[in-house]
Amino acid sequence: MSDVRVGIVGVGVMGADHAERVVRKTSGARLVAVSDADQARAEELADRLPETQGVGSAARHAGGSSYGDGIRVVEDPLDLIAADDVDAVILASPGFAHAEQLFACLEHGKPVLCEKPLTMDAASALRVVEAEHKVGRQLIQVGFMRRFDPEYAALKQLLDSGDLGRTLLLHNVHRNRSVPPSFRSEMIVRDSMVHEVDVARWLFGEEITRITVYTPKPTSLVAAGAFDPQLAVFELASGAMADVEVFVNFQVGYEVRCEAVAERGSATIGLGSGVFTRAGEHWGGAMPADFRVRFEQAYDLEVQRWIDATARGEIDGPSAWDGYAAAAVCEAGIESLSSGKPVDVALADRSKVLG
Ligand code: ISE
């Protein structure tokens, strides 16, 4: 079977990481084109990547030989999406560019793994869901990679088994070492907290109906006026609740934890209990520097399973609806961030939209 030929739009931190992943670690895939608003960055990446690609890909079956044709740099992302030699697209461009690029993927029938957020607001995300529905098959998978993390997957399995009874509460912690000054308070909701929004919907298997975002005393280590950390409470349709602390300038390292409280016990993941050392005058383990390190395995599994599903003409992960539902919660969250009040989530009726 021939490889899925992948094009990547946006090769900043995440897009470049995915490019390395497709080229070096993913079987059945070949990176053929990249595009970025910063052309020099795209060229530098294309030059840096090896010509021989893949783990068990056609290149390997052919004895590991190079295909001989390098990775093309395409100036206009819409040209990359339309290109005949691109079978599937990874969108790692900034969120504000997603809507137009997703519509182009749908128009050309291209399967797409779209980094979160799906789009910038609920209305445009719903238009994407409706447009995909018109195409008649699921082409969009959203990059909520935590669903592929072995720890999160084990937690989901445990909760779904019913061994602990019904799940009642989730307590989440989400800390980044630091973010650039351009990462505004709303982005903490839309780009960071959105992960817990998806985790809560996924673990409980139901929608979030209301969100309150509190703004505790801010850190003095970022520009005045930034709301960091934030504390949010999600209310779910059944009355279950989830809380999350998101603190993106924590200074120390990357830390993501989730504790589920159920009727007959609780379960916690993200304790980082890898190798524990006693050396010098320290004891303990290492903290990952950022999400690429902490969720490396999740990203690898996500992309491999997306490629395998693409080859079968399917998706295998969070859908456009999941991206839309998260966008609707974040929109309400951003409103709550400024009002300080609980805000109801306005979500379209799924059965009416998807039939
Ligand atoms: C980033 O975009 C991510 O997706 C990370 O998982 C998250 O921890 C970070 O806060 C976001 O900026």
Side-chain angles (χ1 to χ4, degrees), residues 138-156:
Q138 288 187 294
L139 289 170
I140 300 171
Q141 183 169 323
V142 184
F144 290 129
M145 79 298 185
R146 292 193 189 173
R147 295 191 187 199
F148 297 88
D149 174 61
E151 282 191 79
Y152 271 103
L155 178 62
K156 168 83 173 150

Side-chain angles (χ1 to χ4, degrees), residues 115-116 145-146 174-176 179 183 191-192 195 246 248 254 256 291 295 299:
E115 276 302 332
K116 36 71 18 185
M145 79 298 185
R146 292 193 189 173
H174 180 169
R175 298 181 184 141
N176 292 211
V179 292
F183 204 91
D191 289 71
S192 304
H195 283 294
V246 186
V248 296
Y254 192 68
V256 168
F291 45 90
F295 287 113
Y299 284 122

Side-chain angles (χ1 to χ4, degrees), residues 118 129 138 142 144 147 194 197-198 201-202 207 315 317-328 350:
L118 182 66
V129 171
Q138 288 187 294
V142 184
F144 290 129
R147 295 191 187 199
V194 67
V197 167
D198 183 63
R201 294 183 59 251
W202 175 60
E207 297 294 354
I315 68 162
S319 64
W321 178 269
D322 293 312
Y324 157 62
R350 185 177 180 143

Side-chain angles (χ1 to χ4, degrees), residues 4-339:
V4 174
R5 297 166 300 174
V6 176
I8 300 185
V9 176
V11 290
V13 173
M14 211 51 243
D17 199 53
H18 281 321
E20 297 274 353
R21 178 168 291 107
V22 171
V23 166
R24 299 182 199 277
K25 296 181 166 179
T26 310
S27 78
R30 179 156 59 102
L31 182 62
V32 293
V34 292
S35 177
D36 196 282
D38 180 345
Q39 179 100 355
R41 176 159 78 174
E43 274 161 15
E44 188 274 321
L45 177 76
D47 286 347
R48 178 158 52 84
L49 291 169
E51 280 204 7
T52 304
Q53 297 192 24
V55 182
S57 68
R60 179 133 170 240
H61 297 319
S65 60
S66 152
Y67 283 93
D69 41 353
I71 297 158
R72 285 192 299 128
V73 175
V74 182
E75 202 176 327
D76 185 338
L78 299 181
D79 289 341
L80 179 148
I81 291 167
D84 285 342
D85 67 342
V86 170
D87 301 318
V89 177
I90 294 180
L91 278 192
S93 48
F96 63 77
H98 287 180
E100 184 188 33
Q101 294 167 358
L102 284 166
F103 284 123
C105 289
L106 293 175
E107 186 191 328
H108 294 283
K110 301 274 167 95
V112 51
L113 177 61
C114 176
E115 276 302 332
K116 36 71 18 185
L118 182 66
T119 65
M120 300 298 275
D121 55 52
S124 57
L126 183 58
R127 283 197 292 278
V128 169
V129 171
E130 289 166 342
E132 185 194 49
H133 188 59
K134 270 202 198 123
V135 171
R137 79 181 176 104
Q138 288 187 294
L139 289 170
I140 300 171
Q141 183 169 323
V142 184
F144 290 129
M145 79 298 185
R146 292 193 189 173
R147 295 191 187 199
F148 297 88
D149 174 61
E151 282 191 79
Y152 271 103
L155 178 62
K156 168 83 173 150
Q157 208 178 8
L158 173 66
L159 299 179
D160 285 354
S161 74
D163 288 354
L164 301 183
R166 294 179 313 151
T167 310
L168 308 174
L169 289 169
L170 287 185
H171 301 296
N172 300 278
V173 170
H174 180 169
R175 298 181 184 141
N176 292 211
R177 172 145 61 199
S178 62
V179 292
S182 57
F183 204 91
R184 307 295 308 156
S185 302
E186 303 78 41
M187 291 179 72
I188 297 182
V189 178
R190 201 188 285 120
D191 289 71
S192 304
M193 193 185 294
V194 67
H195 283 294
E196 276 73 26
V197 167
D198 183 63
V199 160
R201 294 183 59 251
W202 175 60
L203 289 180
F204 281 113
E206 54 181 303
E207 297 294 354
I208 296 170
T209 54
R210 182 181 292 162
I211 175 170
T212 312
V213 180
Y214 298 94
T215 52
K217 183 173 176 169
T219 172
S220 61
L221 301 178
V222 291
F227 296 119
D228 186 28
Q230 297 178 11
L231 203 62
V233 176
F234 311 150
E235 296 170 51
L236 290 106
S238 66
M241 284 194 179
D243 60 57
V244 57
E245 170 210 311
V246 186
F247 188 7
V248 296
N249 288 284
F250 174 51
Q251 308 299 313
V252 186
Y254 192 68
E255 190 179 0
V256 168
R257 260 180 308 175
C258 177
E259 180 187 19
V261 182
E263 290 169 317
R264 284 192 296 273
S266 71
T268 306
I269 59 148
L271 294 174
S273 42
V275 178
F276 199 88
T277 53
R278 290 179 177 80
E281 294 179 350
H282 298 276
W283 61 269
M287 265 188 100
D290 69 19
F291 45 90
R292 286 169 300 177
V293 181
R294 163 66 179 85
F295 287 113
E296 182 181 357
Q297 221 184 332
Y299 284 122
D300 290 351
L301 288 166
E302 174 190 56
V303 170
Q304 185 63 66
R305 282 175 50 181
W306 173 68
I307 286 292
D308 295 346
T310 296
R312 299 191 304 268
E314 296 167 7
I315 68 162
D316 181 11
S319 64
W321 178 269
D322 293 312
Y324 157 62
V329 176
C330 290
E331 190 169 294
I334 289 169
E335 194 183 325
S336 174
L337 178 71
S338 56
S339 71

